[in-house]
mmCIF file of all heavy atoms in Angstrom:
data_model
loop_
_atom_site.group_PDB
_atom_site.id
_atom_site.type_symbol
_atom_site.label_atom_id
_atom_site.label_comp_id
_atom_site.label_asym_id
_atom_site.label_seq_id
_atom_site.Cartn_x
_atom_site.Cartn_y
_atom_site.Cartn_z
ATOM 1 N N HIS A 8 0.784 -1.255 -0.007
ATOM 2 C CA HIS A 8 -0.034 -0.019 -0.009
ATOM 3 C C HIS A 8 0.850 1.305 -0.013
ATOM 4 O O HIS A 8 0.367 2.319 -0.476
ATOM 5 C CB HIS A 8 -0.926 -0.004 1.216
ATOM 6 C CG HIS A 8 -1.907 -1.174 1.188
ATOM 7 N ND1 HIS A 8 -2.963 -1.260 0.285
ATOM 8 C CD2 HIS A 8 -1.909 -2.291 1.897
ATOM 9 C CE1 HIS A 8 -3.645 -2.368 0.476
ATOM 10 N NE2 HIS A 8 -3.016 -3.028 1.453
ATOM 11 N N THR A 9 2.062 1.182 0.549
ATOM 12 C CA THR A 9 2.838 2.416 0.656
ATOM 13 C C THR A 9 4.154 2.289 -0.058
ATOM 14 O O THR A 9 4.608 1.195 -0.391
ATOM 15 C CB THR A 9 3.113 2.746 2.116
ATOM 16 O OG1 THR A 9 4.033 1.714 2.651
ATOM 17 C CG2 THR A 9 1.900 2.806 2.968
ATOM 18 N N VAL A 10 4.756 3.418 -0.332
ATOM 19 C CA VAL A 10 6.077 3.465 -0.983
ATOM 20 C C VAL A 10 7.085 2.834 -0.080
ATOM 21 O O VAL A 10 7.968 2.117 -0.569
ATOM 22 C CB VAL A 10 6.461 4.919 -1.356
ATOM 23 C CG1 VAL A 10 7.887 5.041 -1.814
ATOM 24 C CG2 VAL A 10 5.527 5.466 -2.359
ATOM 25 N N GLN A 11 7.003 2.976 1.231
ATOM 26 C CA GLN A 11 7.947 2.356 2.151
ATOM 27 C C GLN A 11 7.851 0.846 2.054
ATOM 28 O O GLN A 11 8.916 0.142 2.085
ATOM 29 C CB GLN A 11 7.668 2.847 3.590
ATOM 30 C CG GLN A 11 8.009 4.312 3.834
ATOM 31 C CD GLN A 11 6.983 5.265 3.262
ATOM 32 O OE1 GLN A 11 5.808 4.903 3.021
ATOM 33 N NE2 GLN A 11 7.343 6.500 3.138
ATOM 34 N N GLU A 12 6.679 0.301 1.943
ATOM 35 C CA GLU A 12 6.554 -1.152 1.806
ATOM 36 C C GLU A 12 7.087 -1.626 0.465
ATOM 37 O O GLU A 12 7.714 -2.672 0.389
ATOM 38 C CB GLU A 12 5.045 -1.534 1.890
ATOM 39 C CG GLU A 12 4.443 -1.353 3.269
ATOM 40 C CD GLU A 12 2.933 -1.588 3.273
ATOM 41 O OE1 GLU A 12 2.302 -1.288 2.291
ATOM 42 O OE2 GLU A 12 2.438 -2.001 4.331
ATOM 43 N N MET A 13 6.946 -0.796 -0.553
ATOM 44 C CA MET A 13 7.511 -1.111 -1.902
ATOM 45 C C MET A 13 9.011 -1.192 -1.789
ATOM 46 O O MET A 13 9.660 -2.176 -2.278
ATOM 47 C CB MET A 13 7.099 -0.074 -2.919
ATOM 48 C CG MET A 13 7.823 -0.218 -4.295
ATOM 49 S SD MET A 13 7.669 1.267 -5.332
ATOM 50 C CE MET A 13 8.685 2.411 -4.469
ATOM 51 N N LEU A 14 9.646 -0.192 -1.120
ATOM 52 C CA LEU A 14 11.098 -0.196 -0.947
ATOM 53 C C LEU A 14 11.595 -1.410 -0.144
ATOM 54 O O LEU A 14 12.639 -1.967 -0.447
ATOM 55 C CB LEU A 14 11.540 1.092 -0.290
ATOM 56 C CG LEU A 14 11.363 2.389 -1.106
ATOM 57 C CD1 LEU A 14 11.780 3.550 -0.295
ATOM 58 C CD2 LEU A 14 12.130 2.305 -2.400
ATOM 59 N N ALA A 15 10.820 -1.816 0.854
ATOM 60 C CA ALA A 15 11.166 -3.002 1.634
ATOM 61 C C ALA A 15 11.225 -4.266 0.769
ATOM 62 O O ALA A 15 12.081 -5.070 0.882
ATOM 63 C CB ALA A 15 10.178 -3.145 2.812
ATOM 64 N N VAL A 16 10.204 -4.428 -0.155
ATOM 65 C CA VAL A 16 10.200 -5.550 -1.008
ATOM 66 C C VAL A 16 11.370 -5.501 -2.001
ATOM 67 O O VAL A 16 12.052 -6.523 -2.236
ATOM 68 C CB VAL A 16 8.861 -5.598 -1.846
ATOM 69 C CG1 VAL A 16 8.889 -6.660 -2.902
ATOM 70 C CG2 VAL A 16 7.734 -5.866 -0.855
ATOM 71 N N LEU A 17 11.676 -4.344 -2.541
ATOM 72 C CA LEU A 17 12.810 -4.202 -3.442
ATOM 73 C C LEU A 17 14.111 -4.599 -2.707
ATOM 74 O O LEU A 17 14.961 -5.321 -3.268
ATOM 75 C CB LEU A 17 12.941 -2.760 -4.025
ATOM 76 C CG LEU A 17 11.845 -2.275 -4.939
ATOM 77 C CD1 LEU A 17 12.016 -0.815 -5.274
ATOM 78 C CD2 LEU A 17 11.821 -3.135 -6.207
ATOM 79 N N ALA A 18 14.283 -4.175 -1.486
ATOM 80 C CA ALA A 18 15.479 -4.521 -0.717
ATOM 81 C C ALA A 18 15.478 -5.994 -0.373
ATOM 82 O O ALA A 18 16.543 -6.621 -0.517
ATOM 83 C CB ALA A 18 15.540 -3.682 0.572
ATOM 84 N N GLU A 19 14.360 -6.491 0.040
ATOM 85 C CA GLU A 19 14.318 -7.937 0.443
ATOM 86 C C GLU A 19 14.655 -8.857 -0.714
ATOM 87 O O GLU A 19 15.320 -9.834 -0.556
ATOM 88 C CB GLU A 19 12.859 -8.201 0.936
ATOM 89 C CG GLU A 19 12.554 -9.660 1.243
ATOM 90 C CD GLU A 19 11.078 -9.839 1.536
ATOM 91 O OE1 GLU A 19 10.558 -9.049 2.366
ATOM 92 O OE2 GLU A 19 10.466 -10.748 0.952
ATOM 93 N N LYS A 20 14.195 -8.498 -1.915
ATOM 94 C CA LYS A 20 14.432 -9.314 -3.089
ATOM 95 C C LYS A 20 15.712 -8.877 -3.874
ATOM 96 O O LYS A 20 15.949 -9.464 -4.958
ATOM 97 C CB LYS A 20 13.209 -9.328 -3.985
ATOM 98 C CG LYS A 20 11.996 -9.927 -3.299
ATOM 99 C CD LYS A 20 10.880 -10.170 -4.235
ATOM 100 C CE LYS A 20 9.681 -10.691 -3.492
ATOM 101 N NZ LYS A 20 9.661 -12.145 -3.399
ATOM 102 N N ASN A 21 16.373 -7.890 -3.338
ATOM 103 C CA ASN A 21 17.655 -7.396 -3.937
ATOM 104 C C ASN A 21 17.411 -6.997 -5.396
ATOM 105 O O ASN A 21 18.180 -7.415 -6.266
ATOM 106 C CB ASN A 21 18.743 -8.442 -3.786
ATOM 107 C CG ASN A 21 20.059 -7.815 -3.978
ATOM 108 O OD1 ASN A 21 20.289 -6.573 -3.714
ATOM 109 N ND2 ASN A 21 21.078 -8.618 -4.402
ATOM 110 N N ILE A 22 16.370 -6.222 -5.642
ATOM 111 C CA ILE A 22 16.065 -5.764 -7.019
ATOM 112 C C ILE A 22 16.745 -4.440 -7.204
ATOM 113 O O ILE A 22 16.463 -3.466 -6.489
ATOM 114 C CB ILE A 22 14.536 -5.670 -7.214
ATOM 115 C CG1 ILE A 22 13.894 -7.062 -7.053
ATOM 116 C CG2 ILE A 22 14.211 -5.009 -8.517
ATOM 117 C CD1 ILE A 22 12.376 -7.052 -7.025
ATOM 118 N N ALA A 23 17.553 -4.361 -8.270
ATOM 119 C CA ALA A 23 18.350 -3.104 -8.477
ATOM 120 C C ALA A 23 17.674 -2.189 -9.488
ATOM 121 O O ALA A 23 17.934 -0.999 -9.489
ATOM 122 C CB ALA A 23 19.784 -3.539 -9.025
ATOM 123 N N SER A 24 16.917 -2.758 -10.401
ATOM 124 C CA SER A 24 16.199 -1.878 -11.375
ATOM 125 C C SER A 24 14.828 -2.416 -11.663
ATOM 126 O O SER A 24 14.552 -3.571 -11.502
ATOM 127 C CB SER A 24 17.018 -1.797 -12.710
ATOM 128 O OG SER A 24 17.095 -3.107 -13.287
ATOM 129 N N VAL A 25 13.914 -1.473 -11.997
ATOM 130 C CA VAL A 25 12.491 -1.868 -12.250
ATOM 131 C C VAL A 25 12.020 -1.172 -13.492
ATOM 132 O O VAL A 25 12.518 -0.146 -13.939
ATOM 133 C CB VAL A 25 11.616 -1.482 -11.029
ATOM 134 C CG1 VAL A 25 12.006 -2.191 -9.809
ATOM 135 C CG2 VAL A 25 11.606 0.042 -10.792
ATOM 136 N N ALA A 26 10.940 -1.722 -14.036
ATOM 137 C CA ALA A 26 10.141 -1.066 -15.071
ATOM 138 C C ALA A 26 8.926 -0.547 -14.424
ATOM 139 O O ALA A 26 8.195 -1.302 -13.759
ATOM 140 C CB ALA A 26 9.775 -2.081 -16.181
ATOM 141 N N LEU A 27 8.683 0.702 -14.524
ATOM 142 C CA LEU A 27 7.561 1.337 -13.860
ATOM 143 C C LEU A 27 6.350 1.477 -14.740
ATOM 144 O O LEU A 27 6.505 1.906 -15.905
ATOM 145 C CB LEU A 27 7.981 2.779 -13.331
ATOM 146 C CG LEU A 27 6.994 3.460 -12.442
ATOM 147 C CD1 LEU A 27 7.002 2.881 -11.029
ATOM 148 C CD2 LEU A 27 7.286 4.965 -12.387
ATOM 149 N N ARG A 28 5.188 1.060 -14.261
ATOM 150 C CA ARG A 28 3.935 1.153 -15.007
ATOM 151 C C ARG A 28 2.947 1.839 -14.075
ATOM 152 O O ARG A 28 3.034 1.707 -12.848
ATOM 153 C CB ARG A 28 3.398 -0.205 -15.417
ATOM 154 C CG ARG A 28 4.291 -0.975 -16.298
ATOM 155 C CD ARG A 28 4.237 -0.436 -17.727
ATOM 156 N NE ARG A 28 5.024 -1.225 -18.672
ATOM 157 C CZ ARG A 28 6.286 -0.879 -19.004
ATOM 158 N NH1 ARG A 28 6.846 0.251 -18.486
ATOM 159 N NH2 ARG A 28 6.996 -1.588 -19.798
ATOM 160 N N THR A 29 1.977 2.526 -14.620
ATOM 161 C CA THR A 29 0.969 3.145 -13.813
ATOM 162 C C THR A 29 -0.418 2.788 -14.340
ATOM 163 O O THR A 29 -0.621 2.575 -15.540
ATOM 164 C CB THR A 29 1.079 4.687 -13.786
ATOM 165 O OG1 THR A 29 0.912 5.198 -15.125
ATOM 166 C CG2 THR A 29 2.415 5.115 -13.232
ATOM 167 N N GLU A 30 -1.362 2.688 -13.457
ATOM 168 C CA GLU A 30 -2.755 2.516 -13.867
ATOM 169 C C GLU A 30 -3.275 3.892 -14.363
ATOM 170 O O GLU A 30 -2.762 4.939 -14.000
ATOM 171 C CB GLU A 30 -3.610 2.045 -12.703
ATOM 172 C CG GLU A 30 -3.264 0.631 -12.225
ATOM 173 C CD GLU A 30 -4.086 0.211 -11.039
ATOM 174 O OE1 GLU A 30 -4.819 1.035 -10.415
ATOM 175 O OE2 GLU A 30 -3.981 -0.975 -10.699
ATOM 176 N N PRO A 31 -4.341 3.890 -15.168
ATOM 177 C CA PRO A 31 -4.879 5.161 -15.590
ATOM 178 C C PRO A 31 -5.384 5.976 -14.423
ATOM 179 O O PRO A 31 -5.827 5.463 -13.402
ATOM 180 C CB PRO A 31 -6.068 4.776 -16.465
ATOM 181 C CG PRO A 31 -5.810 3.321 -16.876
ATOM 182 C CD PRO A 31 -4.986 2.716 -15.781
ATOM 183 N N ASP A 32 -5.245 7.302 -14.542
ATOM 184 C CA ASP A 32 -5.758 8.261 -13.610
ATOM 185 C C ASP A 32 -5.090 8.196 -12.224
ATOM 186 O O ASP A 32 -5.764 8.564 -11.186
ATOM 187 C CB ASP A 32 -7.287 8.106 -13.423
ATOM 188 C CG ASP A 32 -8.004 8.353 -14.719
ATOM 189 O OD1 ASP A 32 -7.530 9.196 -15.542
ATOM 190 O OD2 ASP A 32 -9.039 7.703 -15.031
ATOM 191 N N VAL A 33 -3.890 7.796 -12.126
ATOM 192 C CA VAL A 33 -3.165 7.864 -10.825
ATOM 193 C C VAL A 33 -2.597 9.201 -10.688
ATOM 194 O O VAL A 33 -2.009 9.795 -11.643
ATOM 195 C CB VAL A 33 -2.007 6.810 -10.807
ATOM 196 C CG1 VAL A 33 -1.168 6.945 -9.571
ATOM 197 C CG2 VAL A 33 -2.564 5.374 -10.945
ATOM 198 N N PRO A 34 -2.799 9.845 -9.530
ATOM 199 C CA PRO A 34 -2.277 11.217 -9.351
ATOM 200 C C PRO A 34 -0.757 11.306 -9.581
ATOM 201 O O PRO A 34 -0.002 10.421 -9.185
ATOM 202 C CB PRO A 34 -2.590 11.539 -7.871
ATOM 203 C CG PRO A 34 -3.678 10.580 -7.494
ATOM 204 C CD PRO A 34 -3.434 9.357 -8.318
ATOM 205 N N HIS A 35 -0.325 12.388 -10.213
ATOM 206 C CA HIS A 35 1.105 12.600 -10.539
ATOM 207 C C HIS A 35 1.937 12.577 -9.244
ATOM 208 O O HIS A 35 3.101 12.149 -9.310
ATOM 209 C CB HIS A 35 1.271 13.901 -11.331
ATOM 210 C CG HIS A 35 0.728 13.769 -12.738
ATOM 211 N ND1 HIS A 35 -0.576 14.135 -13.004
ATOM 212 C CD2 HIS A 35 1.324 13.350 -13.824
ATOM 213 C CE1 HIS A 35 -0.729 13.969 -14.287
ATOM 214 N NE2 HIS A 35 0.299 13.498 -14.834
ATOM 215 N N GLU A 36 1.407 13.040 -8.168
ATOM 216 C CA GLU A 36 2.131 13.083 -6.909
ATOM 217 C C GLU A 36 2.524 11.727 -6.462
ATOM 218 O O GLU A 36 3.617 11.432 -5.968
ATOM 219 C CB GLU A 36 1.326 13.804 -5.805
ATOM 220 C CG GLU A 36 1.104 15.272 -6.099
ATOM 221 C CD GLU A 36 -0.074 15.502 -7.038
ATOM 222 O OE1 GLU A 36 -0.845 14.607 -7.332
ATOM 223 O OE2 GLU A 36 -0.220 16.682 -7.429
ATOM 224 N N ARG A 37 1.559 10.737 -6.621
ATOM 225 C CA ARG A 37 1.850 9.332 -6.217
ATOM 226 C C ARG A 37 2.923 8.742 -7.096
ATOM 227 O O ARG A 37 3.810 8.006 -6.598
ATOM 228 C CB ARG A 37 0.546 8.533 -6.232
ATOM 229 C CG ARG A 37 0.695 7.093 -5.762
ATOM 230 C CD ARG A 37 -0.601 6.525 -5.378
ATOM 231 N NE ARG A 37 -0.575 5.141 -5.130
ATOM 232 C CZ ARG A 37 -0.292 4.558 -3.944
ATOM 233 N NH1 ARG A 37 0.061 5.330 -2.948
ATOM 234 N NH2 ARG A 37 -0.294 3.308 -3.763
ATOM 235 N N ILE A 38 2.877 8.981 -8.419
ATOM 236 C CA ILE A 38 3.824 8.417 -9.311
ATOM 237 C C ILE A 38 5.181 9.060 -9.028
ATOM 238 O O ILE A 38 6.175 8.354 -8.939
ATOM 239 C CB ILE A 38 3.422 8.737 -10.785
ATOM 240 C CG1 ILE A 38 2.055 8.068 -11.111
ATOM 241 C CG2 ILE A 38 4.516 8.323 -11.740
ATOM 242 C CD1 ILE A 38 1.467 8.543 -12.395
ATOM 243 N N GLY A 39 5.204 10.354 -8.821
ATOM 244 C CA GLY A 39 6.488 11.039 -8.488
ATOM 245 C C GLY A 39 7.072 10.541 -7.228
ATOM 246 O O GLY A 39 8.301 10.348 -7.154
ATOM 247 N N ALA A 40 6.271 10.279 -6.249
ATOM 248 C CA ALA A 40 6.777 9.768 -4.929
ATOM 249 C C ALA A 40 7.377 8.351 -5.118
ATOM 250 O O ALA A 40 8.445 8.066 -4.557
ATOM 251 C CB ALA A 40 5.646 9.689 -3.914
ATOM 252 N N ALA A 41 6.782 7.557 -5.980
ATOM 253 C CA ALA A 41 7.353 6.206 -6.234
ATOM 254 C C ALA A 41 8.684 6.341 -6.961
ATOM 255 O O ALA A 41 9.655 5.711 -6.574
ATOM 256 C CB ALA A 41 6.328 5.394 -7.047
ATOM 257 N N ILE A 42 8.751 7.154 -8.003
ATOM 258 C CA ILE A 42 9.988 7.351 -8.741
ATOM 259 C C ILE A 42 11.082 7.901 -7.847
ATOM 260 O O ILE A 42 12.195 7.397 -7.834
ATOM 261 C CB ILE A 42 9.777 8.261 -9.985
ATOM 262 C CG1 ILE A 42 8.843 7.556 -10.988
ATOM 263 C CG2 ILE A 42 11.100 8.603 -10.649
ATOM 264 C CD1 ILE A 42 8.382 8.429 -12.154
ATOM 265 N N TYR A 43 10.765 8.929 -7.100
ATOM 266 C CA TYR A 43 11.719 9.574 -6.244
ATOM 267 C C TYR A 43 12.262 8.590 -5.230
ATOM 268 O O TYR A 43 13.443 8.482 -4.990
ATOM 269 C CB TYR A 43 11.095 10.755 -5.542
ATOM 270 C CG TYR A 43 12.021 11.419 -4.516
ATOM 271 C CD1 TYR A 43 13.011 12.354 -4.926
ATOM 272 C CD2 TYR A 43 11.891 11.189 -3.153
ATOM 273 C CE1 TYR A 43 13.842 12.933 -3.985
ATOM 274 C CE2 TYR A 43 12.711 11.767 -2.210
ATOM 275 C CZ TYR A 43 13.690 12.617 -2.686
ATOM 276 O OH TYR A 43 14.537 13.236 -1.717
ATOM 277 N N SER A 44 11.398 7.779 -4.673
ATOM 278 C CA SER A 44 11.784 6.838 -3.610
ATOM 279 C C SER A 44 12.698 5.693 -4.225
ATOM 280 O O SER A 44 13.630 5.287 -3.574
ATOM 281 C CB SER A 44 10.582 6.224 -2.932
ATOM 282 O OG SER A 44 9.837 7.252 -2.274
ATOM 283 N N ILE A 45 12.313 5.245 -5.367
ATOM 284 C CA ILE A 45 13.157 4.225 -6.031
ATOM 285 C C ILE A 45 14.549 4.715 -6.328
ATOM 286 O O ILE A 45 15.550 4.092 -5.985
ATOM 287 C CB ILE A 45 12.438 3.725 -7.325
ATOM 288 C CG1 ILE A 45 11.188 2.954 -7.028
ATOM 289 C CG2 ILE A 45 13.409 2.845 -8.171
ATOM 290 C CD1 ILE A 45 10.265 2.703 -8.165
ATOM 291 N N VAL A 46 14.636 5.908 -6.898
ATOM 292 C CA VAL A 46 15.926 6.469 -7.211
ATOM 293 C C VAL A 46 16.747 6.777 -5.941
ATOM 294 O O VAL A 46 17.941 6.572 -5.839
ATOM 295 C CB VAL A 46 15.769 7.702 -8.099
ATOM 296 C CG1 VAL A 46 17.081 8.409 -8.320
ATOM 297 C CG2 VAL A 46 15.202 7.253 -9.442
ATOM 298 N N ARG A 47 16.040 7.371 -4.975
ATOM 299 C CA ARG A 47 16.724 7.709 -3.725
ATOM 300 C C ARG A 47 17.300 6.482 -3.012
ATOM 301 O O ARG A 47 18.288 6.572 -2.292
ATOM 302 C CB ARG A 47 15.720 8.427 -2.833
ATOM 303 C CG ARG A 47 16.197 8.801 -1.476
ATOM 304 C CD ARG A 47 16.589 10.187 -1.385
ATOM 305 N NE ARG A 47 17.172 10.395 -0.046
ATOM 306 C CZ ARG A 47 17.251 11.512 0.509
ATOM 307 N NH1 ARG A 47 16.756 12.618 -0.067
ATOM 308 N NH2 ARG A 47 17.836 11.686 1.691
ATOM 309 N N ALA A 48 16.642 5.368 -3.184
ATOM 310 C CA ALA A 48 17.137 4.089 -2.591
ATOM 311 C C ALA A 48 18.187 3.417 -3.433
ATOM 312 O O ALA A 48 18.495 2.259 -3.258
ATOM 313 C CB ALA A 48 15.967 3.146 -2.435
ATOM 314 N N ALA A 49 18.784 4.218 -4.362
ATOM 315 C CA ALA A 49 19.893 3.697 -5.214
ATOM 316 C C ALA A 49 19.459 2.573 -6.154
ATOM 317 O O ALA A 49 20.202 1.657 -6.434
ATOM 318 C CB ALA A 49 21.095 3.347 -4.400
#
């Protein structure tokens, strides 16, 4: 449900890169938060 939980899964599975997809009509702020968090987590 949250970006923090997403980052935990990425770390747990040692995933270094992802392909990002969005559902229609997702607020830009939510997409931006996901991108920012992924990049910030190296």
Side-chain angles (χ1 to χ4, degrees):
H8 299 288
T9 67
V10 172
Q11 291 77 17
E12 291 172 331
M13 173 194 69
L14 292 176
V16 172
L17 292 176
E19 174 187 311
K20 297 189 182 273
N21 199 25
I22 297 172
S24 63
V25 298
L27 188 75
R28 300 282 182 264
T29 62
E30 292 178 351
D32 301 326
V33 175
H35 291 90
E36 294 82 10
R37 182 160 171 86
I38 298 167
I42 293 171
Y43 176 80
S44 298
I45 291 168
V46 173
R47 176 101 187 203

